[in-house]
Amino acid sequence: MLVENIDYYINEEGNFVFTEAYHLKRGYCCKNGCKHCPWSYKKEKTDKNLKK
């Protein structure tokens, strides 16, 4: 069961944002470039990933 403000929080836009604690509990990197990734995974920026 997820706990608000420990495993996630809701940002100003209304999106769920997983915390570093959640990622560590999960135990692996999903390689999506999450904001609080404890493994410091960063997506490579390409022209496809940039918003126009």
Side-chain angles (χ1 to χ4, degrees):
M1 179 172 217
L2 297 176
V3 179
E4 188 171 3
N5 295 321
I6 294 176
D7 295 315
Y8 71 93
Y9 60 90
I10 301 172
N11 69 9
E12 299 81 28
E13 291 84 33
N15 298 315
F16 283 71
V17 180
F18 291 111
T19 63
E20 183 176 357
Y22 168 79
H23 291 294
L24 289 171
K25 277 194 233 179
R26 187 177 59 193
Y28 64 91
C29 179
C30 63
K31 302 203 183 326
N32 282 321
C34 300
K35 182 174 184 173
H36 299 293
C37 179
W39 295 280
S40 301
Y41 180 81
K42 303 265 192 259
K43 279 188 175 181
E44 289 187 30
K45 295 192 189 240
T46 63
D47 290 338
K48 288 182 180 180
N49 294 345
L50 298 176
K51 292 183 179 178
K52 293 182 180 185

